[in-house]
Amino acid sequence: MKIGLALGSGGSRGLAHIGVLRGIEKEGIKIDMISGTSIGAIVGAMFAYGYNSEEIESKVRQYLQRPHILKILNYMKKTESKGNSTFGSAKQWLREKLIFTRAVTRVSLIQNLFLKQFIDEVFPGGEIEFKIPFRAVAANLTNLELAVFKSENAVNMRDAILASAAIPGVFPPVEIDGCKYSDGAVVSPVPVSVLKEEGLDFIIGIALPKRLEAKSDFSSGAEVFLRASRASVTILFNQESEQADLLIPAYISGRSWSDFEKMSVLIEDGEKAFYKSSDDLKQKIKEKKRTLFWDNVIKTVSFKQLSTARQEDK
């Protein structure tokens, strides 16, 4: 049985993916293909490349503690206001004080060096050789399409991962073969459908949603715009999630998209989320294996009966 793992978007909350991977390793669950959106693409690519959860945590922690990175993170935190999602927080942040002026006069607030340097370091050398097939999901801004970059194809996967994680307005779009690409969360918050199309037998989706309450009072046009954007992402999220054989929702209460300094807590939250679903996961995998076994038996018997019937016809 082939098992796929889809890692969703969520900014800093995506560090919870590391905790989920830790649980997957401890339980000995073999993953046959991984898809990732935004930070899920970064963490997923590292796991597919061959890093274990401990190594991923170490690499990310070391990078985030560098002085120039801390300066960028501090800049992001100082200008951030609360939002309901990665995009909601980012969009509100873009509208704060002089930040808004910069956002409307420049393609992005932060250069891709913030992400590119890390990606180049964790994937050294020439063409990336993945141990597990990997799919990076991004939004094609040129043709307005969902783009899927496959590790087996002749494409620069470093650029593909960078594109998938390029939050609109915060990081500039990434050009690949003449098209501009941005954050995959715009088109696929939890890239389950990508694995479904690949024919995986069982798909585990890792989602990083925030608990949202009903809202009917809005004080400004900007607030309405943000809520409408949230509605779009939520609908996409629900459509993708429904296709997973098991969805592990890692609800990270009170964590904003730029809370990278809470790394240890976020990873712990991810592992807790995994073990809340682990019994259900094991049971569903067992049931799926049983179903596939009997499907194969029926197909084999049917084939033998058909072969016998053909022989008798002769």
Side-chain angles (χ1 to χ4, degrees):
M1 184 174 79
K2 300 293 184 181
I3 299 177
L5 180 65
L7 303 183
S9 60
S12 67
R13 298 196 306 279
L15 296 175
H17 286 316
I18 301 174
V20 174
L21 293 175
R22 183 186 293 168
I24 287 174
E25 290 173 332
K26 288 180 180 179
E27 296 302 319
I29 299 172
K30 181 180 179 296
I31 302 300
D32 297 284
M33 184 175 288
I34 299 173
S35 64
T37 284
S38 199
I39 192 167
I42 296 176
V43 176
M46 292 179 73
F47 194 68
Y49 181 70
Y51 291 111
N52 60 37
S53 60
E54 183 178 344
E55 291 169 334
I56 295 173
E57 178 181 354
S58 177
K59 291 283 187 182
V60 174
R61 190 180 297 280
Q62 289 175 18
Y63 188 71
L64 293 179
Q65 290 176 346
R66 294 179 185 178
H68 69 288
I69 298 301
L70 287 172
K71 185 177 180 180
I72 292 174
L73 293 177
N74 185 54
Y75 168 72
M76 292 162 67
K77 290 294 294 181
K78 280 184 176 180
T79 55
E80 180 188 1
S81 59
K82 293 182 180 180
N84 290 327
S85 68
T86 299
F87 290 112
S89 298
K91 287 169 184 173
Q92 287 188 342
W93 174 49
L94 293 177
R95 285 162 175 74
E96 286 291 323
K97 303 174 184 178
L98 296 178
I99 300 295
F100 177 70
T101 302
R102 295 188 63 185
V104 297
T105 57
R106 301 183 184 184
V107 174
S108 66
L109 294 176
I110 301 173
Q111 294 302 308
N112 271 335
L113 182 63
F114 174 76
L115 294 175
K116 189 177 186 305
Q117 185 179 41
F118 177 73
I119 292 171
D120 288 343
E121 288 182 13
V122 297
F123 303 115
E127 183 178 342
I128 305 175
E129 296 184 5
F130 291 93
K131 293 183 178 179
I132 301 173
F134 175 69
R135 306 289 183 262
V137 178
N140 185 326
L141 300 182
T142 302
N143 298 323
L144 302 180
E145 297 174 339
L146 183 153
V148 180
F149 296 96
K150 302 183 178 184
S151 58
E152 302 94 311
N153 294 349
V155 64
N156 186 334
M157 287 303 293
R158 291 181 187 81
D159 285 346
I161 297 166
L162 183 63
S164 182
I167 300 173
V170 179
F171 299 108
V174 178
E175 183 170 343
I176 301 175
D177 295 334
C179 290
K180 295 291 182 67
Y181 296 88
S182 191
D183 199 329
V186 176
V187 289
S188 183
V190 188
V192 175
S193 60
V194 170
L195 298 180
K196 204 79 173 178
E197 292 175 3
E198 293 284 352
L200 276 298
D201 299 308
F202 191 93
I203 301 172
I204 305 169
I206 313 300
L208 307 165
K210 272 197 170 185
R211 299 185 187 277
L212 301 177
E213 297 180 357
K215 184 179 178 66
S216 58
D217 295 325
F218 305 98
S219 58
S220 67
E223 194 174 349
V224 173
F225 175 77
L226 291 172
R227 188 68 176 181
S229 298
R230 183 64 227 173
S232 176
V233 173
T234 300
I235 291 169
L236 283 173
F237 170 81
N238 291 336
Q239 290 175 344
E240 290 276 8
S241 300
E242 290 170 357
Q243 298 182 63
D245 292 281
L246 180 75
L247 184 75
I248 300 178
Y251 288 102
I252 314 297
S253 300
R255 305 298 178 201
S256 72
W257 68 286
S258 60
D259 268 341
F260 288 96
E261 74 274 11
K262 304 291 196 324
M263 183 173 181
S264 295
V265 176
L266 289 163
I267 293 174
E268 184 179 343
D269 286 344
E271 187 169 7
K272 287 179 181 177
F274 172 80
Y275 278 105
K276 282 183 180 179
S277 302
S278 61
D279 288 342
D280 192 20
L281 174 61
K282 292 175 186 176
Q283 181 61 32
K284 288 192 174 184
I285 288 178
K286 184 178 180 180
E287 292 173 357
K288 189 69 173 184
K289 285 182 177 178
R290 186 184 300 118
T291 299
L292 291 173
F293 171 78
W294 285 111
D295 284 349
N296 187 55
V297 169
I298 292 172
K299 288 178 182 178
T300 301
V301 171
S302 298
F303 177 77
K304 288 182 178 179
Q305 290 176 337
L306 179 61
S307 297
T308 301
R310 285 178 175 174
Q311 288 295 329
E312 290 176 350
D313 289 339
K314 292 180 180 180

